[in-house]
C-alpha cells in the first residue's frame, strides 16, 4: 500500500466519517470497502450518511458543540470555513501527495488552504451549468437558449404544450440548491454572486460589498417568473431535483456536471428501462445562459468548486481517518475510479490523470451510456474551459468569501420571492441588510 500513514492515534475508536456520498450504489460500495479496509488494517469505520448541502452543517455543528466532532466529512470547503478558521481542521499534505503519485496532480487552483498547507483531500469538482431535454425541444421546435429570456420563453412554451412535463424545475427551498442557483445566475448576469469584489483588483487585499440593485432584482424577478412554470419550488432541492429529473417532471433546470444524466442512466440500467435510457441520452448540458446584456466573457463564474474530505483535529481517530483516505485513493487507479462509478456524472475528477485513464473511461456505465462520458468531458473542456475564469477579478478566493458562500440568506431571498412572502424589491433590501451584517461578521472573524 502506497505510503501508508499507519494508524489510529493508537486509538481503539472507530473512524467516524460523515458523508453525503450516499445512494444505493454508495452504500454498497462503502460496505465493501469498509470490510476490506478493516481486514487489512484493524482500523474500524463508522460511516454515517450526513445529508446534502444545507443538512450536514447542522449535524456537524451539533457534534462540535457537544465536544464530539467526527474524524472526517465530505463537503466543499466553504461548508467548513468557520471550522478551519478556528484551527479545528488538520492538514492533509502527506495524504494528498501520496494520492497525486497514483492519480496525477490536483487540477484546480480553488481554495484548499493557505500557503503550502492543504486542508482538503479533494475528490471531484462541481461545474455549474444548464440542462435540458433535447427530445422536448425537438418536438416543440425550440432552440437551445442563449439568454435568461430564452429560458423563460421555452419554459412557457413547454408548460403550455400538451406534453406531460413542466417548463422548468426551480429550486426554492430556503437552503441548498436555491442558494447555488441564485449565485450562479448573478454571475451569469455579470456581477459577483455573493455580493463582494476586490476594492483594488490589482492588490487583492481587501473586499468590499458590490450587490447592484438592477442585476440582483433582475435575477430575483427571473426566478419568480420561472416559478410559475415549475412544480412547487419549495419542494425542490438537490436530492429532489435528481429524482424529479428521472421522473420527467420538467424539461429544463440548473444543475452540476452531468449529475441528472448519471442518475437517470443508473436508474435505467437498474430497471432495464428503455424509456429512461432515452431520457438519459436526451439530457443535454451547456453553460448556463446569460443575461442578454452580457456575453460569456463577462461571466463572473470563477472556478468550479472542489468537493472532498476534511479531517477534524478534535476527532478521536484522525490518523486512522488519514490512513483510510490514503488506502482509498493512493493504492491504485482501479480503486479510485470506483468512487466515480458509484455516482457517475456527479463529479469531475480533481486529479489530472483520472478522466483520461482507461480505468475511468471503461466503466460499465460509460459502455452502456457513452453520451454520459461525452457530457462530462464537455463540462471539463468547454464549460469549465471557456465559461469560467473569464473575468480575472472574479476570483475572490479568501476566507471571507468562503464564509459568505455558506450564509443561507441568499437562498432565503429566493424562497421569500417565490412564496410571495416578499416582493422582489423587499427581498433585495432585506438581502442587502443581511449581506452587510454577515460581511461585517466575516471581517471580524477572518480579518
Amino acid at each position: 500500500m502506497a505510503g501508508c500513514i499507519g494508524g489510529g492515534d493508537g486509538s481503539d475508536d472507530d473512524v467516524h466519517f460523515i458523508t453525503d456520498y450516499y445512494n444505493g450504489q454508495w452504500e454498497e460500495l462503502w460496505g465493501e470497502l469498509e470490510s476490506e479496509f478493516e481486514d487489512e488494517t484493524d482500523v474500524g469505520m463508522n460511516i454515517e450518511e450526513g445529508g446534502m448541502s444545507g443538512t450536514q452543517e447542522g449535524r456537524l455543528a451539533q457534534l462540535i458543540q457537544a465536544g464530539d466532532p467526527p474524524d472526517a466529512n465530505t463537503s466543499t470547503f466553504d461548508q467548513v470555513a468557520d471550522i478551519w478558521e478556528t484551527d479545528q481542521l488538520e492538514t492533509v499534505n502527506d495524504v494528498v501527495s501520496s494520492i497525486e503519485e497514483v492519480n496525477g496532480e490536483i487540477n484546480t487552483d480553488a481554495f484548499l488552504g493557505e500557503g503550502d498547507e492543504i486542508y482538503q483531500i479533494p475528490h471531484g469538482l462541481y461545474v455549474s451549468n444548464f440542462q435540458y431535454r433535447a427530445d422536448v425541444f425537438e418536438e416543440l421546435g425550440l432552440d437551445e437558449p442563449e439568454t435568461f429570456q430564452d429560458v423563460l420563453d421555452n419554459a412557457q412554451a413547454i408548460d403550455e404544450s400538451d406534453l406531460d412535463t413542466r417548463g422548468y424545475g426551480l429550486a426554492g427551498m430556503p437552503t441548498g440548491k436555491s442558494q447555488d442557483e441564485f449565485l450562479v445566475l448573478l454571475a451569469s448576469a455579470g456581477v459577483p454572486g455573493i455580493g463582494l469584489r476586490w476594492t483594488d483588483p490589482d492588490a487583492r487585499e481587501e473586499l468590499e460589498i458590490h450587490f447592484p440593485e438592477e442585476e440582483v432584482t433582475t435575477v430575483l424577478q427571473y426566478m419568480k417568473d420561472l416559478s410559475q412554470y415549475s412544480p412547487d419550488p419549495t419542494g425542490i432541492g438537490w436530492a429532489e431535483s435528481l429524482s424529479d429529473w428521472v421522473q420527467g417532471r420538467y424539461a429544463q433546470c440548473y444543475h452540476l456536471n452531468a449529475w441528472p444524466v448519471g442518475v437517470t442512466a443508473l436508474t435505467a440500467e437498474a430497471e432495464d428501462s428503455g424509456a429512461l435510457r432515452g431520457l438519459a441520452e436526451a439530457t443535454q448540458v451547456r453553460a448556463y445562459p446569460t443575461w442578454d446584456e452580457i456575453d460569456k466573457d463577462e461571466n463572473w463564474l470563477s472556478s468550479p468548486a472542489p468537493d472532498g474530505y476534511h479531517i477534524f483535529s478534535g476527532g478521536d481517530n484522525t490518523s486512522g481517518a488519514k490512513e483510510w483516505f490514503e488506502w482509498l485513493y493512493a493504492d491504485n487507479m482501479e480503486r479510485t475510479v470506483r468512487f466515480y462509478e458509484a455516482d457517475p456524472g456527479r463529479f469531475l475528477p480533481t486529479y489530472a490523470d483520472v478522466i483520461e485513464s482507461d480505468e475511468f473511461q471503461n466503466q460499465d456505465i460509460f459502455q452502456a451510456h457513452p453520451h454520459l462520458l461525452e457530457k462530462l468531458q464537455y463540462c471539463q473542456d468547454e464549460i469549465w474551459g471557456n465559461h469560467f475564469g473569464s473575468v480575472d477579478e472574479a476570483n475572490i478566493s479568501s476566507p471571507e468569501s468562503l464564509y459568505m458562500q455558506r450564509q443561507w440568506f441568499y437562498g432565503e431571498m429566493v424562497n421569500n420571492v417565490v412564496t410571495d412572502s416578499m416582493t422582489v424589491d423587499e427581498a433585495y433590501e432585506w438581502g442587502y441588510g443581511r449581506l452587510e451584517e454577515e460581511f461585517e461578521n466575516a471581517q471580524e472573524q477572518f480579518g
Side-chain angles (χ1 to χ4, degrees):
M1 184 170 61
C4 176
I5 290 174
D9 296 329
S11 171
D12 292 329
D13 292 310
D14 290 348
V15 173
H16 185 191
F17 170 40
I18 298 177
T19 179
D20 66 347
Y21 300 174
Y22 222 90
N23 55 24
Q25 289 72 29
W26 275 114
E27 186 174 10
E28 181 179 350
L29 178 59
W30 286 133
E32 293 173 2
L33 293 173
E34 179 181 357
S35 178
E36 293 174 23
F37 177 70
E38 290 178 348
D39 287 345
E40 291 186 27
T41 67
D42 293 327
V43 177
M45 295 297 302
N46 170 21
I47 301 176
E48 175 187 346
E49 180 181 7
M52 292 186 179
S53 175
T55 301
Q56 186 182 147
E57 290 91 340
R59 175 62 173 153
L60 282 175
Q62 178 188 47
L63 289 169
I64 289 171
Q65 289 169 7
D68 186 27
D71 295 292
N73 83 321
T74 55
S75 70
T76 51
F77 202 102
D78 54 276
Q79 290 174 260
V80 294
D82 54 342
I83 299 169
W84 164 75
E85 172 60 18
T86 52
D87 298 323
Q88 297 180 74
L89 293 184
E90 290 204 358
T91 57
V92 291
N93 295 57
D94 290 347
V95 179
V96 171
S97 294
S98 295
I99 294 172
E100 288 181 312
E101 291 179 9
V102 174
N103 301 304
E105 294 183 355
I106 294 174
N107 58 3
T108 178
D109 59 359
F111 192 94
L112 300 175
E114 285 190 310
D116 295 330
E117 302 298 333
I118 299 175
Y119 290 87
Q120 184 188 91
I121 304 165
H123 169 72
L125 295 163
Y126 284 132
V127 175
S128 302
N129 56 48
F130 176 80
Q131 311 213 2
Y132 69 94
R133 286 182 53 177
D135 57 337
V136 171
F137 274 46
E138 182 178 356
E139 183 163 349
L140 298 179
L142 303 176
D143 294 327
E144 187 177 79
E146 298 293 333
T147 67
F148 288 179
Q149 188 61 50
D150 294 339
V151 175
L152 188 60
D153 290 344
N154 286 347
Q156 180 178 0
I158 296 164
D159 220 51
E160 294 176 353
S161 74
D162 294 331
L163 299 178
D164 186 22
T165 187
R166 300 298 303 274
Y168 193 93
L170 181 71
M173 289 182 174
T175 60
K177 188 171 186 281
S178 62
Q179 173 117 338
D180 280 28
E181 189 162 352
F182 178 65
L183 300 186
V184 168
L185 290 175
L186 281 177
S188 302
V191 297
I194 60 174
L196 300 179
R197 66 181 179 185
W198 295 115
T199 303
D200 181 345
D202 295 324
R204 303 193 179 202
E205 295 175 346
E206 183 179 357
L207 292 168
E208 64 180 4
I209 290 176
H210 181 64
F211 207 52
E213 183 173 3
E214 180 180 6
E215 286 85 348
V216 176
T217 55
T218 292
V219 167
L220 286 173
Q221 185 63 54
Y222 170 63
M223 298 181 83
K224 181 173 177 60
D225 291 343
L226 280 173
S227 69
Q228 65 186 308
Y229 307 120
S230 172
D232 179 8
T234 63
I236 299 177
W238 287 116
E240 295 79 9
S241 68
L242 294 167
S243 60
D244 284 352
W245 196 264
V246 173
Q247 295 170 45
R249 295 190 69 198
Y250 34 80
Q252 300 181 110
C253 73
Y254 159 80
H255 227 284
L256 303 170
N257 292 324
W259 202 355
V261 186
V263 170
T264 307
L266 274 182
T267 308
E269 296 312 306
E271 299 180 4
D272 193 18
S273 169
L276 288 179
R277 292 186 183 100
L279 175 57
E281 189 164 1
T283 302
Q284 300 299 310
V285 179
R286 58 147 294 162
Y288 203 98
T290 57
W291 188 20
D292 58 8
E293 295 183 16
I294 73 165
D295 60 31
K296 69 179 181 64
D297 293 331
E298 299 170 290
N299 194 319
W300 271 65
L301 290 171
S302 177
S303 62
D307 198 273
Y309 311 97
H310 308 95
I311 308 292
F312 296 84
S313 56
D316 292 326
N317 195 349
T318 58
S319 61
K322 291 179 180 180
E323 183 175 358
W324 163 246
F325 294 120
E326 191 163 356
W327 182 86
L328 291 177
Y329 286 89
D331 197 17
N332 56 71
M333 182 71 79
E334 289 83 359
R335 186 179 291 151
T336 297
V337 165
R338 293 179 73 183
F339 289 94
Y340 302 102
E341 192 169 13
D343 215 347
R346 178 176 178 178
F347 295 109
L348 278 175
T350 320
Y351 302 96
D353 295 345
V354 174
I355 197 169
E356 298 299 330
S357 69
D358 290 340
E359 293 87 346
F360 186 86
Q361 299 203 1
N362 290 334
Q363 295 176 53
D364 290 344
I365 193 68
F366 291 150
Q367 302 305 305
H369 296 265
H371 55 283
L372 175 55
L373 177 59
E374 293 170 4
K375 298 296 184 294
L376 277 176
Q377 291 174 317
Y378 182 84
C379 286
Q380 176 174 275
D381 299 339
E382 171 59 26
I383 302 179
W384 179 14
N386 294 321
H387 294 267
F388 281 73
S390 299
V391 178
D392 289 341
E393 57 266 34
N395 182 2
I396 57 170
S397 180
S398 65
E400 291 96 328
S401 68
L402 288 169
Y403 174 91
M404 294 302 296
Q405 286 171 23
R406 201 43 50 177
Q407 303 311 306
W408 297 117
F409 70 85
Y410 303 102
E412 291 170 7
M413 291 172 67
V414 176
N415 180 264
N416 284 326
V417 165
V418 301
T419 59
D420 292 320
S421 301
M422 293 182 183
T423 67
V424 166
D425 290 336
E426 288 170 343
Y428 171 75
E429 294 297 331
W430 177 82
Y432 197 98
R434 289 297 311 279
L435 174 60
E436 290 181 313
E437 177 184 338
E438 294 300 343
F439 183 47
E440 183 178 347
N441 290 338
Q443 290 175 308
E444 290 177 359
Q445 184 168 343
F446 297 101

